[in-house]
């Protein structure tokens, strides 16, 4: 059903008359459509997070949460092999801000995760609203303000509170809830968690700041700190 809706949305965009979003603009959408679809599916299936916005929910796993987990696993592998020598926070943040496909959680994936959440929330709020109209809202808003999608995501998912972003990241990596830890550990694929010592791994002083590095890197990207 979702795949059909995506196809309809794409077709609607191409035939829109009088909209400020043109077919060319949609064709050059900056996000990754597969990531977007997975994120929409996760939030429409499991619900929009509410209550304590500083916790990771099952819904988040289809979007930013497992993407960030995958990026962490890539950092661990690169750090262990010697490919990565710069600070964890810098590498993680740079990876999420680059369009290069050499990272498994790049800027296109971040955009898709953000837009997917915004799309799903609006779908849940109004079952009769066409997805094309929701996507048009997002693209028109971004056209007027390049940071709009991040500002909306920051406000709606995290209550415009940076500490909620950071707490949600910590919760992602420390949760013992099997609904969170199970998928997380599968994505880690035997990579260690932030701050966990392994033979031949980073020094204790480096391990002590890893969790801070991960949560601050993601929070920087969402709140647009040190953005290109």
């Amino acid at each position: 059903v979702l795949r059909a809706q995506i196809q309809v949305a794409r077709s609607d965009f191409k035939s829109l008359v009088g909209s400020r979003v043109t077919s060319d603009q949609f064709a050059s959408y900056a996000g990754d459509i597969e990531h977007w679809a997975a994120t929409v599916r996760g939030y429409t299936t499991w619900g929009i997070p509410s209550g304590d916005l500083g916790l990771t929910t099952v819904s988040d796993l289809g979007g930013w949460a497992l993407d960030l987990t995958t990026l962490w696993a890539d950092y661990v592998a690169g750090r262990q092999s010697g490919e990565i020598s710069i600070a964890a926070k810098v590498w993680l943040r740079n990876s999420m801000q680059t369009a290069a496909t050499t990272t498994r959680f790049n800027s296109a994936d971040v955009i898709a995760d953000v837009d997917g959440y915004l799309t799903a929330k609006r779908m849940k709020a109004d079952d009769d609203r066409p997805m094309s109209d929701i996507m048009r809202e997002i693209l028109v808003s971004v056209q007027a303000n390049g940071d709009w999608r991040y500002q909306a995501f920051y406000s709606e998912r995290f209550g415009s509170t940076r500490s909620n972003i950071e707490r949600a990241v910590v919760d992602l990596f420390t949760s013992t809830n099997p609904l969170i830890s199970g998928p997380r550990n599968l994505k880690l694929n035997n990579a260690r968690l932030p701050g966990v010592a392994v033979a031949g791994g980073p020094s204790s002083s480096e391990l002590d700041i890893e969790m801070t590095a991960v949560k601050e890197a993601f929070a920087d990207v969402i709140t647009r700190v040190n953005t290109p």
Side-chain angles (χ1 to χ4, degrees), residues 1-224:
V1 174
L2 180 60
R3 186 174 294 276
Q5 288 177 315
I6 294 169
Q7 200 58 47
V8 169
R10 282 173 162 165
S11 299
D12 283 352
F13 266 111
K14 292 177 181 178
S15 61
L16 282 174
V17 177
S19 169
R20 285 184 291 163
V21 177
T22 66
S23 58
D24 286 344
Q25 288 168 327
F26 184 74
S28 61
Y29 175 58
D32 179 88
I33 196 68
E34 297 301 326
H35 273 75
W36 173 83
T39 302
V40 172
R41 187 180 300 114
Y43 286 114
T44 53
T45 300
W46 297 101
I48 304 301
S50 59
D52 188 346
L53 298 180
L55 297 178
T56 293
T57 70
V58 174
S59 305
D60 294 314
L61 298 179
W64 67 267
L66 289 187
D67 284 340
L68 186 59
T69 301
T70 299
L71 187 63
W72 172 255
D74 289 347
Y75 169 76
V76 170
R79 177 69 181 78
Q80 198 75 4
S81 69
E83 275 185 56
I84 298 172
S85 58
I86 61 176
K89 179 179 176 179
V90 174
W91 187 87
L92 293 165
R93 187 175 61 208
N94 288 352
S95 296
M96 288 183 277
Q97 292 177 341
T98 181
T101 55
T102 50
T103 168
R104 290 195 289 170
F105 189 24
N106 65 6
S107 60
D109 301 330
V110 173
I111 288 171
D113 288 346
V114 167
D115 288 355
Y117 167 86
L118 297 174
T119 301
K121 187 177 181 188
R122 283 150 180 74
M123 288 173 65
K124 299 283 280 186
D126 184 354
D127 290 338
D128 296 325
R129 187 179 180 188
M131 186 182 289
S132 58
D133 185 57
I134 296 171
M135 294 173 73
R136 181 168 58 246
E137 175 198 341
I138 293 171
L139 295 183
V140 168
S141 298
V142 170
Q143 187 178 20
N145 172 10
D147 284 340
W148 179 88
R149 58 168 49 98
Y150 299 99
Q151 293 166 353
F153 182 64
Y154 182 37
S155 171
E156 297 176 27
R157 173 58 186 87
F158 296 107
S160 296
T161 304
R162 183 183 170 102
S163 63
N164 281 343
I165 302 178
E166 296 185 357
R167 287 196 303 116
V169 172
V170 172
D171 187 48
L172 167 65
F173 286 108
T174 60
S175 177
T176 56
N177 178 348
L179 294 177
I180 302 296
S181 63
R184 177 199 68 209
N185 292 341
L186 284 174
K187 277 291 183 181
L188 283 172
N189 193 26
N190 296 319
R192 63 181 178 80
L193 291 164
V196 174
V198 294
S203 65
S204 59
S205 59
E206 187 175 335
L207 291 171
D208 287 344
I209 62 172
E210 282 187 340
M211 187 67 81
T212 298
V214 184
K215 70 181 185 181
E216 289 188 351
F218 185 63
D220 281 357
V221 170
I222 299 305
T223 59
R224 311 302 282 157

